[in-house]
Amino acid sequence: MKNVIPNTKEIIFISNIGEICSISLEHEEEVVGNSIEGIFKVSGEYKTHEISVNKEDFSYDLPFNIELDEDIDTTTINVDIEDFNYSFASDILKVNIEFSVTGERKKEEIVEEEVKEENTKILSQTKEW
C-alpha cells in the first residue's frame, strides 16, 4: 500500500515577512492503534524587510493524523516527504507538503487455513484413485 497525501497549511507570523532566508522541514510520527499521529516541524530564518540585515528565527509544529485501514501491518509503516514548497505574502507563510505513507497489508490467517484445507482435499482425492 502506498498513499500520497497533499497537505497545505497557512502559518501566520507575528510580523511581516520580507524574505525567507532559510527554511527546513522535519517530521516525527508514531503509530497509535490504527492511525498515524505526527507533526511536521517547519523552521528557519526570515527578514521582516528585504533590505534588512537582521534575521528572525521561526519554528512551527503542524500536527497531522492519518487513519489506516485495519488490514495494514502497522509495523511496516513508513512516512516520507515527496515534495515541499512554500509561498508567502505579508505575514502569512503557506506551506505545501506532499508526503507518502507506505505499509504492507496483513497476511490473513484465514487464507493460510484455506490453503491447508485445499491441500488436504487434494491428498484425500489422490488416495481414492
Side-chain angles (χ1 to χ4, degrees):
M1 172 225 47
K2 179 177 181 176
N3 290 332
V4 177
I5 303 164
N7 190 356
T8 300
K9 298 285 185 184
E10 290 185 348
I11 302 169
I12 300 173
F13 281 53
I14 35 179
S15 60
N16 189 47
I17 304 170
E19 177 185 350
I20 300 289
C21 303
S22 67
I23 191 167
S24 67
L25 174 67
E26 297 177 16
H27 61 94
E28 295 177 2
E29 65 280 328
E30 68 177 326
V31 177
V32 178
N34 276 347
S35 66
I36 302 171
E37 296 178 4
I39 56 171
F40 293 115
K41 294 181 175 193
V42 179
S43 60
E45 293 181 323
Y46 73 104
K47 295 180 182 178
T48 56
H49 302 286
E50 289 181 25
I51 58 173
S52 175
V53 292
N54 297 330
K55 297 177 184 177
E56 302 286 331
D57 292 331
F58 68 91
S59 180
Y60 292 93
D61 291 345
L62 306 173
F64 67 92
N65 188 341
I66 305 296
E67 293 296 320
L68 299 170
D69 292 340
E70 290 185 22
D71 67 339
I72 301 298
D73 181 355
T74 56
T75 62
T76 65
I77 295 296
N78 191 33
V79 176
D80 289 314
I81 303 298
E82 298 289 323
D83 190 25
F84 171 60
N85 59 65
Y86 66 92
S87 61
F88 63 92
S90 186
D91 63 344
I92 298 176
L93 175 66
K94 183 178 179 180
V95 295
N96 299 301
I97 304 166
E98 190 173 282
F99 64 102
S100 64
V101 176
T102 56
E104 296 177 15
R105 300 219 178 263
K106 292 179 184 174
K107 295 179 182 176
E108 293 189 36
E109 293 177 15
I110 297 170
V111 174
E112 292 175 11
E113 288 296 320
E114 289 175 1
V115 169
K116 287 179 184 176
E117 288 177 17
E118 188 63 33
N119 287 341
T120 303
K121 287 179 186 175
I122 291 171
L123 287 174
S124 297
Q125 291 173 357
T126 307
K127 288 181 180 178
E128 291 177 8
W129 282 26

